[in-house]
Amino acid sequence: MAHTGTGFFDRKGHFFKTARDATVSDLAALLGQIGEGESLAPGIAYMLLERRAEIERLFAEHDQMLEEEAAMKAARGGDPLSNVAKLPSRPAH
């Protein structure tokens, strides 16, 4: 007898039984070929999904550092060399 079920599709239209598998497929496609021979991308994609919370926390910290960096540059008046000091010249031997 026929029955219904739920499935998930990745961006290429491939069918998967779980949302996780469809997402891993999309992540692996985004990463592309990694390594020689069989690609390491699917394994890396799985790890990215499993460590999503930590990765999102890292990106949030990164964004905050970028904002702080931009604020420091603005405070210096946009001079990219204002935090660089010229070293004294050394006498020739």
Side-chain angles (χ1 to χ4, degrees):
M1 170 183 256
H3 58 281
T4 62
T6 301
F8 301 89
F9 295 88
D10 66 6
R11 292 183 177 176
K12 291 182 180 179
H14 299 118
F15 174 82
F16 295 90
K17 292 181 181 180
T18 67
R20 178 179 16 184
D21 290 343
T23 302
V24 166
S25 176
D26 283 337
L27 284 169
L30 181 69
L31 292 171
Q33 175 71 26
I34 299 175
E36 295 181 19
E38 192 170 335
S39 178
L40 301 173
I44 293 170
Y46 177 80
M47 288 179 64
L48 289 172
L49 192 58
E50 288 298 306
R51 296 185 179 177
R52 178 181 178 172
E54 295 91 9
I55 292 167
E56 287 177 349
R57 191 170 25 259
L58 269 174
F59 278 115
E61 292 170 2
H62 174 73
D63 292 342
Q64 183 177 358
M65 288 188 291
L66 289 177
E67 289 174 12
E68 292 170 2
E69 181 181 45
M72 289 187 316
K73 285 181 181 179
R76 289 192 304 256
D79 181 6
L81 299 178
S82 65
N83 66 337
V84 177
K86 186 173 181 177
L87 295 174
S89 59
R90 296 167 73 180
H93 293 280

